Amino acid sequence: VAFELRMYSDCYVYGGGYYAEVNEEEFNEVRLSIATTTFKKEDFIRKNVKMIKDEILSKDDIIGRNVYLHIVDNDEGRVLSAEEFEGEHVYYHRNKNVGGSGGFTRGMIESLQQKPKATHVLLMDDDVVVLSESIKRTYLMLLLVKPKYKEYIISGAMLCYEEMDVFHEDVGFLGADGGQNSSKGHGKIVDMADMLQKEEAKTKKADSYAGWWYCCIPVATIKEVQLPLPFFIHMDDIEYGIRLDCPIMTMNGIGVWHDSFEHRKASSVEYYDMRNLLTANAIHNSKYTKKQAKKRVMRHLVFQLLKYRYEDYDKRGRRFLQGNRLL
């Protein structure tokens, strides 16, 4: 539902909106818990927490009264503290450095144990730019959704932080070749036609998942499927999303801006990329063959050999080689 304004002379539009009148007896019961895990991203997390406090939690309305925030700090260096963040509906949890999976799992556990109990858990990365409008739309969508959609997951789009008009993904799927694929494709979303294409794209594919940069899951589903696997970095959201096996809802206007993965991937995580991908395929992808797995590993190995990442050849590595008489 939308509207269009046509101007026949010069004018100014100062604001506007459209409303739905709904009987409050028809509202769904929604208490939305936002679980975000952070590791050495102090500037991002501080900005996002302030935004949520100022633009959502401070408002005396149905959203402000029913949104909660759990901050899971994986940084054992402890630059952040409970005193800095905690307040009404805001909780800070110290955690070990257990990667995204361990951090979000802690966030799920805390959300399930909070009082009053959450009905939905929104997993959201720490190093994102997010607008309060996305969270408000998510809440209102849950509040008004029809009974047949109550078990759906809401997936927010990921747009590129470096090029803010470039769409990366909001629903992905694990292909027969064992690789990750975007259901809606990549590219700019400047023109109306581009936006409509993303809205109309088919996402009901086998082995689909929603990325944890912005993923809202019903608590009843979490209780049924249990917690994520203890992956460290990468593929944790993909494995869990496939295991949830829930249909996924998306909506233009719900999403975040995130650093492109190629700009933030350290060489030290390459091992987890391959190990976790093979594990997820072994669990969920019955079409994935041993031949395909061997081919992917060899291609990955050759690719790593050709990267020439000299910065990884540090003093520790040099000492190791000298101690084994390889130099």
Side-chain angles (χ1 to χ4, degrees), residues 210-242:
W212 285 352
W213 50 80
Y214 195 101
C215 175
C216 184
I217 310 171
V219 163
T221 302
I222 295 174
K223 289 181 177 179
E224 179 182 350
V225 178
Q226 299 301 307
L227 299 171
L229 286 182
F231 279 160
F232 188 78
I233 307 177
H234 214 195
M235 294 298 295
D236 40 12
D237 52 353
I238 295 174
E239 187 283 325
Y240 192 62
I242 295 172

PDB file of all heavy atoms in Angstrom, residues 210-242:
ATOM      1  N   ALA A 210      18.708 -16.471   6.470  1.00  0.00           N
ATOM      2  CA  ALA A 210      18.764 -15.022   6.660  1.00  0.00           C
ATOM      3  C   ALA A 210      20.042 -14.687   7.420  1.00  0.00           C
ATOM      4  O   ALA A 210      20.336 -15.311   8.444  1.00  0.00           O
ATOM      5  CB  ALA A 210      17.543 -14.533   7.440  1.00  0.00           C
ATOM      6  N   GLY A 211      20.801 -13.722   6.928  1.00  0.00           N
ATOM      7  CA  GLY A 211      22.060 -13.340   7.564  1.00  0.00           C
ATOM      8  C   GLY A 211      21.828 -12.661   8.899  1.00  0.00           C
ATOM      9  O   GLY A 211      20.830 -11.956   9.106  1.00  0.00           O
ATOM     10  N   TRP A 212      22.778 -12.861   9.809  1.00  0.00           N
ATOM     11  CA  TRP A 212      22.629 -12.311  11.158  1.00  0.00           C
ATOM     12  C   TRP A 212      22.983 -10.841  11.246  1.00  0.00           C
ATOM     13  O   TRP A 212      23.054 -10.290  12.348  1.00  0.00           O
ATOM     14  CB  TRP A 212      23.477 -13.126  12.140  1.00  0.00           C
ATOM     15  CG  TRP A 212      22.870 -14.456  12.455  1.00  0.00           C
ATOM     16  CD1 TRP A 212      21.638 -14.906  12.086  1.00  0.00           C
ATOM     17  CD2 TRP A 212      23.468 -15.504  13.222  1.00  0.00           C
ATOM     18  NE1 TRP A 212      21.428 -16.170  12.560  1.00  0.00           N
ATOM     19  CE2 TRP A 212      22.543 -16.573  13.262  1.00  0.00           C
ATOM     20  CE3 TRP A 212      24.693 -15.652  13.865  1.00  0.00           C
ATOM     21  CZ2 TRP A 212      22.811 -17.760  13.925  1.00  0.00           C
ATOM     22  CZ3 TRP A 212      24.950 -16.835  14.524  1.00  0.00           C
ATOM     23  CH2 TRP A 212      24.020 -17.877  14.565  1.00  0.00           C
ATOM     24  N   TRP A 213      23.246 -10.182  10.126  1.00  0.00           N
ATOM     25  CA  TRP A 213      23.403  -8.731  10.211  1.00  0.00           C
ATOM     26  C   TRP A 213      22.078  -8.099  10.621  1.00  0.00           C
ATOM     27  O   TRP A 213      22.054  -7.070  11.272  1.00  0.00           O
ATOM     28  CB  TRP A 213      23.892  -8.149   8.885  1.00  0.00           C
ATOM     29  CG  TRP A 213      23.110  -8.579   7.682  1.00  0.00           C
ATOM     30  CD1 TRP A 213      21.918  -8.096   7.253  1.00  0.00           C
ATOM     31  CD2 TRP A 213      23.490  -9.599   6.736  1.00  0.00           C
ATOM     32  NE1 TRP A 213      21.508  -8.737   6.104  1.00  0.00           N
ATOM     33  CE2 TRP A 213      22.467  -9.660   5.762  1.00  0.00           C
ATOM     34  CE3 TRP A 213      24.598 -10.430   6.625  1.00  0.00           C
ATOM     35  CZ2 TRP A 213      22.520 -10.551   4.692  1.00  0.00           C
ATOM     36  CZ3 TRP A 213      24.644 -11.309   5.552  1.00  0.00           C
ATOM     37  CH2 TRP A 213      23.609 -11.365   4.603  1.00  0.00           C
ATOM     38  N   TYR A 214      20.923  -8.762  10.269  1.00  0.00           N
ATOM     39  CA  TYR A 214      19.607  -8.302  10.699  1.00  0.00           C
ATOM     40  C   TYR A 214      18.627  -9.446  10.470  1.00  0.00           C
ATOM     41  O   TYR A 214      18.143  -9.645   9.357  1.00  0.00           O
ATOM     42  CB  TYR A 214      19.165  -7.060   9.926  1.00  0.00           C
ATOM     43  CG  TYR A 214      17.997  -6.316  10.542  1.00  0.00           C
ATOM     44  CD1 TYR A 214      18.195  -5.160  11.295  1.00  0.00           C
ATOM     45  CD2 TYR A 214      16.697  -6.767  10.386  1.00  0.00           C
ATOM     46  CE1 TYR A 214      17.135  -4.475  11.863  1.00  0.00           C
ATOM     47  CE2 TYR A 214      15.625  -6.098  10.955  1.00  0.00           C
ATOM     48  CZ  TYR A 214      15.856  -4.952  11.685  1.00  0.00           C
ATOM     49  OH  TYR A 214      14.794  -4.276  12.256  1.00  0.00           O
ATOM     50  N   CYS A 215      18.350 -10.205  11.527  1.00  0.00           N
ATOM     51  CA  CYS A 215      17.524 -11.410  11.393  1.00  0.00           C
ATOM     52  C   CYS A 215      16.641 -11.544  12.617  1.00  0.00           C
ATOM     53  O   CYS A 215      17.135 -11.687  13.739  1.00  0.00           O
ATOM     54  CB  CYS A 215      18.432 -12.639  11.233  1.00  0.00           C
ATOM     55  SG  CYS A 215      17.558 -14.215  11.195  1.00  0.00           S
ATOM     56  N   CYS A 216      15.337 -11.515  12.426  1.00  0.00           N
ATOM     57  CA  CYS A 216      14.375 -11.565  13.529  1.00  0.00           C
ATOM     58  C   CYS A 216      13.694 -12.938  13.554  1.00  0.00           C
ATOM     59  O   CYS A 216      13.067 -13.351  12.576  1.00  0.00           O
ATOM     60  CB  CYS A 216      13.334 -10.457  13.371  1.00  0.00           C
ATOM     61  SG  CYS A 216      12.170 -10.369  14.744  1.00  0.00           S
ATOM     62  N   ILE A 217      13.822 -13.653  14.694  1.00  0.00           N
ATOM     63  CA  ILE A 217      13.358 -15.033  14.809  1.00  0.00           C
ATOM     64  C   ILE A 217      12.352 -15.142  15.948  1.00  0.00           C
ATOM     65  O   ILE A 217      12.599 -14.640  17.053  1.00  0.00           O
ATOM     66  CB  ILE A 217      14.536 -15.994  15.088  1.00  0.00           C
ATOM     67  CG1 ILE A 217      15.678 -15.749  14.099  1.00  0.00           C
ATOM     68  CG2 ILE A 217      14.094 -17.445  15.036  1.00  0.00           C
ATOM     69  CD1 ILE A 217      16.951 -16.497  14.447  1.00  0.00           C
ATOM     70  N   PRO A 218      11.225 -15.823  15.751  1.00  0.00           N
ATOM     71  CA  PRO A 218      10.288 -16.047  16.862  1.00  0.00           C
ATOM     72  C   PRO A 218      10.932 -16.905  17.948  1.00  0.00           C
ATOM     73  O   PRO A 218      11.645 -17.875  17.645  1.00  0.00           O
ATOM     74  CB  PRO A 218       9.124 -16.790  16.193  1.00  0.00           C
ATOM     75  CG  PRO A 218       9.235 -16.484  14.732  1.00  0.00           C
ATOM     76  CD  PRO A 218      10.702 -16.330  14.463  1.00  0.00           C
ATOM     77  N   VAL A 219      10.688 -16.571  19.200  1.00  0.00           N
ATOM     78  CA  VAL A 219      11.255 -17.333  20.313  1.00  0.00           C
ATOM     79  C   VAL A 219      10.767 -18.779  20.292  1.00  0.00           C
ATOM     80  O   VAL A 219      11.525 -19.707  20.613  1.00  0.00           O
ATOM     81  CB  VAL A 219      10.890 -16.651  21.655  1.00  0.00           C
ATOM     82  CG1 VAL A 219      11.087 -17.596  22.832  1.00  0.00           C
ATOM     83  CG2 VAL A 219      11.728 -15.402  21.847  1.00  0.00           C
ATOM     84  N   ALA A 220       9.513 -18.993  19.905  1.00  0.00           N
ATOM     85  CA  ALA A 220       8.979 -20.358  19.854  1.00  0.00           C
ATOM     86  C   ALA A 220       9.803 -21.227  18.910  1.00  0.00           C
ATOM     87  O   ALA A 220      10.028 -22.416  19.179  1.00  0.00           O
ATOM     88  CB  ALA A 220       7.516 -20.325  19.404  1.00  0.00           C
ATOM     89  N   THR A 221      10.279 -20.635  17.821  1.00  0.00           N
ATOM     90  CA  THR A 221      11.100 -21.381  16.864  1.00  0.00           C
ATOM     91  C   THR A 221      12.473 -21.700  17.454  1.00  0.00           C
ATOM     92  O   THR A 221      13.002 -22.796  17.273  1.00  0.00           O
ATOM     93  CB  THR A 221      11.261 -20.573  15.562  1.00  0.00           C
ATOM     94  OG1 THR A 221       9.969 -20.291  15.020  1.00  0.00           O
ATOM     95  CG2 THR A 221      12.069 -21.345  14.543  1.00  0.00           C
ATOM     96  N   ILE A 222      13.054 -20.731  18.171  1.00  0.00           N
ATOM     97  CA  ILE A 222      14.357 -20.967  18.805  1.00  0.00           C
ATOM     98  C   ILE A 222      14.252 -22.108  19.811  1.00  0.00           C
ATOM     99  O   ILE A 222      15.118 -22.987  19.881  1.00  0.00           O
ATOM    100  CB  ILE A 222      14.856 -19.681  19.495  1.00  0.00           C
ATOM    101  CG1 ILE A 222      15.132 -18.587  18.450  1.00  0.00           C
ATOM    102  CG2 ILE A 222      16.112 -19.962  20.316  1.00  0.00           C
ATOM    103  CD1 ILE A 222      15.500 -17.247  19.044  1.00  0.00           C
ATOM    104  N   LYS A 223      13.185 -22.118  20.601  1.00  0.00           N
ATOM    105  CA  LYS A 223      13.006 -23.183  21.592  1.00  0.00           C
ATOM    106  C   LYS A 223      12.859 -24.547  20.929  1.00  0.00           C
ATOM    107  O   LYS A 223      13.329 -25.564  21.445  1.00  0.00           O
ATOM    108  CB  LYS A 223      11.781 -22.879  22.455  1.00  0.00           C
ATOM    109  CG  LYS A 223      11.978 -21.715  23.419  1.00  0.00           C
ATOM    110  CD  LYS A 223      10.733 -21.497  24.255  1.00  0.00           C
ATOM    111  CE  LYS A 223      10.947 -20.379  25.274  1.00  0.00           C
ATOM    112  NZ  LYS A 223       9.729 -20.149  26.086  1.00  0.00           N
ATOM    113  N   GLU A 224      12.216 -24.564  19.782  1.00  0.00           N
ATOM    114  CA  GLU A 224      11.991 -25.832  19.081  1.00  0.00           C
ATOM    115  C   GLU A 224      13.273 -26.353  18.435  1.00  0.00           C
ATOM    116  O   GLU A 224      13.596 -27.536  18.524  1.00  0.00           O
ATOM    117  CB  GLU A 224      10.906 -25.647  18.022  1.00  0.00           C
ATOM    118  CG  GLU A 224      10.610 -26.896  17.217  1.00  0.00           C
ATOM    119  CD  GLU A 224       9.562 -26.671  16.143  1.00  0.00           C
ATOM    120  OE1 GLU A 224       8.923 -25.590  16.149  1.00  0.00           O
ATOM    121  OE2 GLU A 224       9.381 -27.563  15.299  1.00  0.00           O
ATOM    122  N   VAL A 225      14.018 -25.464  17.779  1.00  0.00           N
ATOM    123  CA  VAL A 225      15.201 -25.883  17.013  1.00  0.00           C
ATOM    124  C   VAL A 225      16.463 -25.914  17.882  1.00  0.00           C
ATOM    125  O   VAL A 225      17.430 -26.568  17.549  1.00  0.00           O
ATOM    126  CB  VAL A 225      15.397 -24.931  15.799  1.00  0.00           C
ATOM    127  CG1 VAL A 225      16.627 -25.294  15.010  1.00  0.00           C
ATOM    128  CG2 VAL A 225      14.162 -24.989  14.895  1.00  0.00           C
ATOM    129  N   GLN A 226      16.421 -25.221  19.006  1.00  0.00           N
ATOM    130  CA  GLN A 226      17.563 -25.081  19.919  1.00  0.00           C
ATOM    131  C   GLN A 226      18.582 -24.077  19.372  1.00  0.00           C
ATOM    132  O   GLN A 226      18.280 -23.332  18.442  1.00  0.00           O
ATOM    133  CB  GLN A 226      18.196 -26.430  20.231  1.00  0.00           C
ATOM    134  CG  GLN A 226      17.234 -27.413  20.933  1.00  0.00           C
ATOM    135  CD  GLN A 226      16.702 -26.886  22.261  1.00  0.00           C
ATOM    136  OE1 GLN A 226      17.473 -26.491  23.128  1.00  0.00           O
ATOM    137  NE2 GLN A 226      15.389 -26.865  22.412  1.00  0.00           N
ATOM    138  N   LEU A 227      19.792 -24.087  19.913  1.00  0.00           N
ATOM    139  CA  LEU A 227      20.747 -23.011  19.673  1.00  0.00           C
ATOM    140  C   LEU A 227      21.667 -23.301  18.491  1.00  0.00           C
ATOM    141  O   LEU A 227      21.739 -24.431  18.006  1.00  0.00           O
ATOM    142  CB  LEU A 227      21.567 -22.787  20.943  1.00  0.00           C
ATOM    143  CG  LEU A 227      20.737 -22.381  22.168  1.00  0.00           C
ATOM    144  CD1 LEU A 227      21.592 -22.398  23.418  1.00  0.00           C
ATOM    145  CD2 LEU A 227      20.086 -21.027  21.975  1.00  0.00           C
ATOM    146  N   PRO A 228      22.396 -22.280  18.018  1.00  0.00           N
ATOM    147  CA  PRO A 228      23.309 -22.468  16.877  1.00  0.00           C
ATOM    148  C   PRO A 228      24.475 -23.398  17.211  1.00  0.00           C
ATOM    149  O   PRO A 228      24.812 -23.620  18.377  1.00  0.00           O
ATOM    150  CB  PRO A 228      23.818 -21.041  16.593  1.00  0.00           C
ATOM    151  CG  PRO A 228      22.817 -20.134  17.214  1.00  0.00           C
ATOM    152  CD  PRO A 228      22.296 -20.855  18.406  1.00  0.00           C
ATOM    153  N   LEU A 229      25.107 -23.931  16.171  1.00  0.00           N
ATOM    154  CA  LEU A 229      26.326 -24.715  16.349  1.00  0.00           C
ATOM    155  C   LEU A 229      27.464 -23.802  16.797  1.00  0.00           C
ATOM    156  O   LEU A 229      27.486 -22.614  16.461  1.00  0.00           O
ATOM    157  CB  LEU A 229      26.720 -25.399  15.032  1.00  0.00           C
ATOM    158  CG  LEU A 229      25.879 -26.590  14.586  1.00  0.00           C
ATOM    159  CD1 LEU A 229      26.450 -27.171  13.293  1.00  0.00           C
ATOM    160  CD2 LEU A 229      25.823 -27.662  15.652  1.00  0.00           C
ATOM    161  N   PRO A 230      28.444 -24.321  17.527  1.00  0.00           N
ATOM    162  CA  PRO A 230      29.555 -23.486  17.999  1.00  0.00           C
ATOM    163  C   PRO A 230      30.604 -23.225  16.926  1.00  0.00           C
ATOM    164  O   PRO A 230      31.782 -23.525  17.098  1.00  0.00           O
ATOM    165  CB  PRO A 230      30.120 -24.317  19.160  1.00  0.00           C
ATOM    166  CG  PRO A 230      29.826 -25.721  18.788  1.00  0.00           C
ATOM    167  CD  PRO A 230      28.496 -25.690  18.086  1.00  0.00           C
ATOM    168  N   PHE A 231      30.181 -22.688  15.802  1.00  0.00           N
ATOM    169  CA  PHE A 231      31.123 -22.249  14.772  1.00  0.00           C
ATOM    170  C   PHE A 231      31.843 -20.992  15.264  1.00  0.00           C
ATOM    171  O   PHE A 231      31.269 -20.195  15.994  1.00  0.00           O
ATOM    172  CB  PHE A 231      30.396 -21.888  13.473  1.00  0.00           C
ATOM    173  CG  PHE A 231      30.047 -23.067  12.616  1.00  0.00           C
ATOM    174  CD1 PHE A 231      29.059 -22.964  11.652  1.00  0.00           C
ATOM    175  CD2 PHE A 231      30.690 -24.277  12.762  1.00  0.00           C
ATOM    176  CE1 PHE A 231      28.730 -24.029  10.843  1.00  0.00           C
ATOM    177  CE2 PHE A 231      30.367 -25.354  11.965  1.00  0.00           C
ATOM    178  CZ  PHE A 231      29.390 -25.233  11.007  1.00  0.00           C
ATOM    179  N   PHE A 232      33.071 -20.807  14.849  1.00  0.00           N
ATOM    180  CA  PHE A 232      33.788 -19.568  15.152  1.00  0.00           C
ATOM    181  C   PHE A 232      33.962 -18.804  13.841  1.00  0.00           C
ATOM    182  O   PHE A 232      34.647 -19.265  12.929  1.00  0.00           O
ATOM    183  CB  PHE A 232      35.152 -19.862  15.783  1.00  0.00           C
ATOM    184  CG  PHE A 232      35.846 -18.621  16.277  1.00  0.00           C
ATOM    185  CD1 PHE A 232      35.470 -18.037  17.477  1.00  0.00           C
ATOM    186  CD2 PHE A 232      36.858 -18.025  15.536  1.00  0.00           C
ATOM    187  CE1 PHE A 232      36.087 -16.893  17.947  1.00  0.00           C
ATOM    188  CE2 PHE A 232      37.482 -16.872  15.995  1.00  0.00           C
ATOM    189  CZ  PHE A 232      37.097 -16.308  17.199  1.00  0.00           C
ATOM    190  N   ILE A 233      33.334 -17.671  13.725  1.00  0.00           N
ATOM    191  CA  ILE A 233      33.333 -16.827  12.515  1.00  0.00           C
ATOM    192  C   ILE A 233      32.588 -17.525  11.371  1.00  0.00           C
ATOM    193  O   ILE A 233      32.424 -18.514  11.325  1.00  0.00           O
ATOM    194  CB  ILE A 233      34.774 -16.505  12.061  1.00  0.00           C
ATOM    195  CG1 ILE A 233      35.573 -15.920  13.216  1.00  0.00           C
ATOM    196  CG2 ILE A 233      34.783 -15.538  10.907  1.00  0.00           C
ATOM    197  CD1 ILE A 233      37.019 -15.645  12.895  1.00  0.00           C
ATOM    198  N   HIS A 234      31.947 -17.051  10.524  1.00  0.00           N
ATOM    199  CA  HIS A 234      31.463 -17.495   9.228  1.00  0.00           C
ATOM    200  C   HIS A 234      30.655 -18.789   9.228  1.00  0.00           C
ATOM    201  O   HIS A 234      30.972 -19.753   9.886  1.00  0.00           O
ATOM    202  CB  HIS A 234      32.621 -17.631   8.230  1.00  0.00           C
ATOM    203  CG  HIS A 234      32.151 -17.277   6.836  1.00  0.00           C
ATOM    204  ND1 HIS A 234      32.842 -17.583   5.689  1.00  0.00           N
ATOM    205  CD2 HIS A 234      31.035 -16.655   6.428  1.00  0.00           C
ATOM    206  CE1 HIS A 234      32.195 -17.146   4.635  1.00  0.00           C
ATOM    207  NE2 HIS A 234      31.094 -16.578   5.062  1.00  0.00           N
ATOM    208  N   MET A 235      29.605 -18.778   8.442  1.00  0.00           N
ATOM    209  CA  MET A 235      28.707 -19.906   8.160  1.00  0.00           C
ATOM    210  C   MET A 235      27.797 -20.253   9.331  1.00  0.00           C
ATOM    211  O   MET A 235      26.945 -21.130   9.212  1.00  0.00           O
ATOM    212  CB  MET A 235      29.486 -21.155   7.735  1.00  0.00           C
ATOM    213  CG  MET A 235      30.201 -21.041   6.414  1.00  0.00           C
ATOM    214  SD  MET A 235      29.111 -20.767   4.988  1.00  0.00           S
ATOM    215  CE  MET A 235      28.179 -22.285   4.934  1.00  0.00           C
ATOM    216  N   ASP A 236      27.954 -19.591  10.496  1.00  0.00           N
ATOM    217  CA  ASP A 236      27.092 -19.896  11.630  1.00  0.00           C
ATOM    218  C   ASP A 236      25.642 -19.553  11.317  1.00  0.00           C
ATOM    219  O   ASP A 236      24.729 -20.346  11.595  1.00  0.00           O
ATOM    220  CB  ASP A 236      27.557 -19.163  12.889  1.00  0.00           C
ATOM    221  CG  ASP A 236      28.022 -17.735  12.608  1.00  0.00           C
ATOM    222  OD1 ASP A 236      27.775 -17.238  11.495  1.00  0.00           O
ATOM    223  OD2 ASP A 236      28.631 -17.125  13.500  1.00  0.00           O
ATOM    224  N   ASP A 237      25.415 -18.384  10.714  1.00  0.00           N
ATOM    225  CA  ASP A 237      24.043 -17.984  10.393  1.00  0.00           C
ATOM    226  C   ASP A 237      23.456 -18.841   9.276  1.00  0.00           C
ATOM    227  O   ASP A 237      22.256 -19.123   9.262  1.00  0.00           O
ATOM    228  CB  ASP A 237      23.974 -16.504  10.032  1.00  0.00           C
ATOM    229  CG  ASP A 237      24.969 -16.098   8.960  1.00  0.00           C
ATOM    230  OD1 ASP A 237      25.816 -16.911   8.565  1.00  0.00           O
ATOM    231  OD2 ASP A 237      24.901 -14.932   8.505  1.00  0.00           O
ATOM    232  N   ILE A 238      24.296 -19.270   8.348  1.00  0.00           N
ATOM    233  CA  ILE A 238      23.804 -20.083   7.235  1.00  0.00           C
ATOM    234  C   ILE A 238      23.349 -21.451   7.732  1.00  0.00           C
ATOM    235  O   ILE A 238      22.249 -21.920   7.420  1.00  0.00           O
ATOM    236  CB  ILE A 238      24.896 -20.226   6.150  1.00  0.00           C
ATOM    237  CG1 ILE A 238      25.193 -18.847   5.543  1.00  0.00           C
ATOM    238  CG2 ILE A 238      24.470 -21.216   5.071  1.00  0.00           C
ATOM    239  CD1 ILE A 238      26.350 -18.832   4.581  1.00  0.00           C
ATOM    240  N   GLU A 239      24.183 -22.107   8.529  1.00  0.00           N
ATOM    241  CA  GLU A 239      23.826 -23.420   9.071  1.00  0.00           C
ATOM    242  C   GLU A 239      22.552 -23.328   9.901  1.00  0.00           C
ATOM    243  O   GLU A 239      21.639 -24.145   9.767  1.00  0.00           O
ATOM    244  CB  GLU A 239      24.984 -23.970   9.903  1.00  0.00           C
ATOM    245  CG  GLU A 239      24.786 -25.404  10.384  1.00  0.00           C
ATOM    246  CD  GLU A 239      23.834 -25.553  11.561  1.00  0.00           C
ATOM    247  OE1 GLU A 239      23.800 -24.654  12.435  1.00  0.00           O
ATOM    248  OE2 GLU A 239      23.087 -26.558  11.599  1.00  0.00           O
ATOM    249  N   TYR A 240      22.488 -22.314  10.778  1.00  0.00           N
ATOM    250  CA  TYR A 240      21.334 -22.192  11.664  1.00  0.00           C
ATOM    251  C   TYR A 240      20.080 -21.840  10.879  1.00  0.00           C
ATOM    252  O   TYR A 240      18.991 -22.361  11.159  1.00  0.00           O
ATOM    253  CB  TYR A 240      21.613 -21.134  12.725  1.00  0.00           C
ATOM    254  CG  TYR A 240      20.611 -21.122  13.856  1.00  0.00           C
ATOM    255  CD1 TYR A 240      20.456 -22.225  14.685  1.00  0.00           C
ATOM    256  CD2 TYR A 240      19.819 -19.998  14.100  1.00  0.00           C
ATOM    257  CE1 TYR A 240      19.547 -22.218  15.732  1.00  0.00           C
ATOM    258  CE2 TYR A 240      18.912 -19.979  15.151  1.00  0.00           C
ATOM    259  CZ  TYR A 240      18.780 -21.090  15.959  1.00  0.00           C
ATOM    260  OH  TYR A 240      17.869 -21.078  16.994  1.00  0.00           O
ATOM    261  N   GLY A 241      20.225 -20.964   9.883  1.00  0.00           N
ATOM    262  CA  GLY A 241      19.069 -20.586   9.078  1.00  0.00           C
ATOM    263  C   GLY A 241      18.469 -21.760   8.336  1.00  0.00           C
ATOM    264  O   GLY A 241      17.247 -21.903   8.248  1.00  0.00           O
ATOM    265  N   ILE A 242      19.331 -22.629   7.812  1.00  0.00           N
ATOM    266  CA  ILE A 242      18.833 -23.813   7.103  1.00  0.00           C
ATOM    267  C   ILE A 242      18.176 -24.775   8.088  1.00  0.00           C
ATOM    268  O   ILE A 242      17.143 -25.384   7.798  1.00  0.00           O
ATOM    269  CB  ILE A 242      19.983 -24.498   6.342  1.00  0.00           C
ATOM    270  CG1 ILE A 242      20.518 -23.566   5.243  1.00  0.00           C
ATOM    271  CG2 ILE A 242      19.522 -25.822   5.741  1.00  0.00           C
ATOM    272  CD1 ILE A 242      21.771 -24.073   4.566  1.00  0.00           C
TER     273      ILE A 242
END
